[in-house]
Amino acid sequence: LEWSEKEGVTWRSALEGFGQSSPVIWKGRVYATSTGGDRKEHLYLESFALANGKRIWKREITASEKVDAVTKMISQGAPTPVTGPDGVFAFYESGDLVAFDHDGNKRWSRKLTVEFGKFKGGHGVGSSLVGSPGRLLLLIDHDGPSYLLCLDRKTGETIWKADREPRVSWTTPLYLEHEGEGRVIISSNGTLEGYRLGDGKRLWWVENIQRNTVASPSSDGNLVVIGSSSPRQCLAVRLGGEGDVAKTHIAWRAESATSSFSSPLLHGGSAYFVNRAGTLQAQRMMDGKQRWEYRLPDGCWASPLAAGQRLYFFCKNGTTVVLDGNAEEPTVLAENILPVPEGERIYGYAVGDKKIVVRSGRELIAIGQ
């Protein structure tokens, strides 16, 4: 519940490079990606012990595509990896997609920019890998020919590829199961869409959405909720439709709520959005009406977390606000300050074994008992 630089931090570990991805955890291991070099020519994947933060192994991959110069306006090690029983899978905005086992042995790799064309756009690629049973999903939406890719985890081979119109977006798809089948939900620059996991068929869609380019969709199993930086574009759609469902399945539109980088949090009958200024807005899930709003100390790049009846909001500046998820109005249980270096942010986190491992650009910080 409470921590600071002096209490509640169990370990801190420096990363080889700089990155904006979230760490991932599997059976006592923490994995994190980063990039290095003047042109992002070095790609890193590192494995750490969750218990004490000791680095177990580090692997370096040479980037297939390099940038002219590293700037704060271009993504740096932004896509979050996937891990599971088969190992760890990392995708980089250079187009390199690699798989290693848990001992750091390389299993397979692909160079997507060589196969399908270079990524076009001024700010790089930010979409993360998504895990589903036996498969990996990756969305590449950019100024060139875009696509949703489904891969076999063990071999890296393409199971299917759904071609898409060019559109620039940094959102990550959402995998869920509905009516006994796997679904892939995409909220991306103008559309919300549902695909069938089995064969990549697009089943339903809502179009003419504005500025849903960063926040990824969330779901409670019945509704899909998306965030947008424009008013009246944060909306909820009922699952189960076919074709254009704009007139039949939109459950509500939030009147004033907007969402910046972090994804909506759905918990206890409420949807929580954080806007660019750091204002947290709680909307009722039943109708989208606003319950209350609360000004956080800063905006959030990391998405919020619900654990039990506590809600965690990881602000960019290192402050984490913990709210009571049962309360009728904003009730702060703790405000924990963990300063980050100048020019850095808290980008993401992973949860496991009663620890929260947060990530700044160059460091992992484990919070726990």
Side-chain angles (χ1 to χ4, degrees), residues 53-131:
K54 182 180 179 181
R55 187 165 70 186
I56 299 168
W57 52 259
K58 177 190 73 175
R59 297 294 177 264
E60 180 178 338
I61 302 104
T62 300
S64 297
E65 303 290 338
K66 304 170 182 63
V67 298
D68 293 331
V70 175
T71 76
K72 291 184 178 180
M73 299 304 293
I74 301 176
S75 57
Q76 291 180 254
T80 293
V82 162
T83 185
D86 296 322
V88 58
F89 309 88
F91 169 68
Y92 301 85
E93 58 267 30
S94 60
D96 293 284
L97 176 58
V98 295
F100 290 85
D101 66 20
H102 291 292
D103 294 322
N105 301 306
K106 188 175 179 180
R107 300 186 58 205
W108 53 262
S109 65
R110 291 181 62 170
K111 301 179 185 297
L112 300 186
T113 50
V114 175
E115 294 182 50
F116 305 125
K118 293 183 179 181
F119 304 149
K120 298 178 181 179
H123 301 289
V125 171
S127 189
S128 296
L129 276 177
V130 177

Side-chain angles (χ1 to χ4, degrees), residues 14 22 60 62 91 116 150-151 186 198 207 217 229 250 275 281 289 324:
S22 294
E60 180 178 338
T62 300
F91 169 68
F116 305 125
C150 180
L151 307 168
I186 296 174
E207 296 178 328
S229 56
I250 293 180
N275 71 12
Q281 300 144 306
K289 300 293 185 184
D324 185 345

Side-chain angles (χ1 to χ4, degrees), residues 109-338:
S109 65
R110 291 181 62 170
K111 301 179 185 297
L112 300 186
T113 50
V114 175
E115 294 182 50
F116 305 125
K118 293 183 179 181
F119 304 149
K120 298 178 181 179
H123 301 289
V125 171
S127 189
S128 296
L129 276 177
V130 177
S132 67
R135 300 183 177 193
L136 296 169
L137 298 156
L138 179 63
L139 176 68
I140 300 295
D141 274 356
H142 65 126
D143 269 334
S146 299
Y147 50 90
L148 174 64
L149 196 61
C150 180
L151 307 168
D152 183 283
R153 284 198 195 208
K154 291 188 176 180
T155 65
E157 295 175 354
T158 299
I159 297 173
W160 51 258
K161 175 174 175 272
D163 293 325
R164 298 164 55 80
E165 293 296 316
R167 71 183 77 221
V168 176
S169 175
W170 297 269
T171 69
T172 295
L174 171 68
Y175 167 76
L176 54 80
E177 292 187 7
H178 182 69
E179 297 179 342
E181 281 192 324
R183 297 282 187 265
V184 187
I185 311 299
I186 296 174
S187 172
S188 174
N189 201 349
T191 65
L192 173 66
E193 304 159 285
Y195 286 79
R196 187 161 55 206
L197 177 67
D199 57 9
K201 180 184 178 182
R202 190 169 81 142
L203 300 175
W204 58 264
W205 56 88
V206 176
E207 296 178 328
N208 300 314
I209 303 170
Q210 297 174 8
R211 300 180 73 178
N212 58 323
T213 55
V214 182
S216 300
S218 302
S219 178
D220 65 356
N222 297 308
L223 295 176
V224 172
V225 178
I226 68 167
S228 163
S229 56
S230 287
R232 287 193 52 78
Q233 303 300 303
C234 292
L235 52 89
V237 175
R238 288 186 293 273
L239 289 166
E242 293 184 8
D244 186 344
V245 299
K247 294 182 178 179
T248 57
H249 281 67
I250 293 180
W252 49 259
R253 291 178 180 268
E255 285 294 327
S256 60
T258 58
S259 180
S260 183
F261 281 35
S262 59
S263 301
L265 172 65
L266 313 183
H267 175 80
S270 293
Y272 298 89
F273 300 91
V274 180
N275 71 12
R276 186 174 294 275
T279 301
L280 169 62
Q281 300 144 306
Q283 319 294 126
R284 293 194 309 198
M285 279 291 286
M286 66 170 61
D287 56 13
K289 300 293 185 184
Q290 185 159 298
R291 292 181 53 215
W292 47 258
E293 63 179 35
Y294 175 79
R295 185 65 181 266
L296 297 168
D298 199 358
C300 299
W301 277 32
S303 295
L305 167 71
Q309 294 305 319
R310 294 175 184 171
L311 310 180
Y312 294 78
F313 296 88
F314 301 88
C315 298
K316 292 183 296 182
N317 64 3
T319 300
T320 301
V321 177
V322 188
L323 296 181
D324 185 345
N326 273 336
E328 290 298 315
E329 55 190 35
T331 302
V332 177
L333 301 176
E335 189 168 302
N336 305 309
I337 299 174
L338 203 61

